[in-house]
Amino acid sequence: MQEQFSNDFPKFKAKIQNFIAAQHFDTRLQHYNKLFDEMSSVAPDDMREYVEKAPKFLEARNKSLQIMERIVAIHTELDTLFKLDEKALGNAYDFNLKKVDQKIADSLKEAAYMIDQFEVYSEMGRKAIEQADFPFFSQAH
């Protein structure tokens, strides 16, 4: 099993490098980290007006922040996994590349779902801000 793992590892590593390049993984990781930092650094006082006018804004913002935190965590975990050498990866996954592939697939699936959820909650937050900024807008619908 370990010998097969060693034989297949170079192909696996090449597949990972191709994935990283094709999906702009490093750029996405930086983007999600930056977005999370920007979101979490907004002072509560800066949001007070929107929170008072549109309580749904705070709920949407907090949920978006929580989701983005998970997106960052998933991508950071994958980044760490992608950088493991043969021995560390083998030890972590019982020298079974199918387990590694499954872990990556599960993580990417969860990340895609979380990104979709992030968009949903971000849109809720945007709508709450619009309604706070344009009270007649909310009355017209």
Side-chain angles (χ1 to χ4, degrees), residues 5 9 12-17 19-20 25-26 29 72-94 96-108:
F5 180 87
F9 183 79
F12 173 79
K13 204 63 172 173
K15 179 172 80 172
I16 292 300
Q17 293 309 313
F19 170 81
I20 290 169
F25 183 82
D26 294 335
L29 178 58
V72 168
I74 292 167
H75 282 77
T76 301
E77 290 166 12
L78 284 171
D79 187 50
T80 300
L81 187 152
F82 293 161
K83 291 176 179 169
L84 292 177
D85 64 18
E86 181 179 341
K87 184 178 180 189
L89 190 68
N91 286 330
Y93 291 89
D94 303 319
N96 185 340
L97 287 174
K98 286 184 180 175
K99 284 184 178 180
V100 181
D101 280 338
Q102 188 61 55
K103 168 64 176 156
I104 293 169
D106 291 347
S107 294
L108 292 173

Side-chain angles (χ1 to χ4, degrees), residues 5-68:
F5 180 87
S6 289
N7 290 340
D8 292 342
F9 183 79
K11 286 182 269 181
F12 173 79
K13 204 63 172 173
K15 179 172 80 172
I16 292 300
Q17 293 309 313
N18 288 335
F19 170 81
I20 290 169
Q23 297 297 317
H24 308 286
F25 183 82
D26 294 335
T27 304
R28 285 183 187 203
L29 178 58
Q30 290 173 352
H31 170 73
Y32 295 139
N33 273 309
K34 184 179 180 214
L35 189 56
F36 178 73
D37 289 345
E38 289 171 359
M39 290 173 66
S40 58
S41 68
V42 175
D45 284 349
D46 295 340
M47 297 183 290
R48 183 181 4 225
E49 179 184 343
Y50 292 118
V51 171
E52 289 171 0
K53 289 183 181 178
K56 285 185 180 181
F57 167 76
L58 185 61
E59 177 188 337
R61 185 244 179 218
N62 288 344
K63 192 69 176 168
S64 294
L65 186 63
Q66 178 185 14
I67 291 168
M68 185 51 64

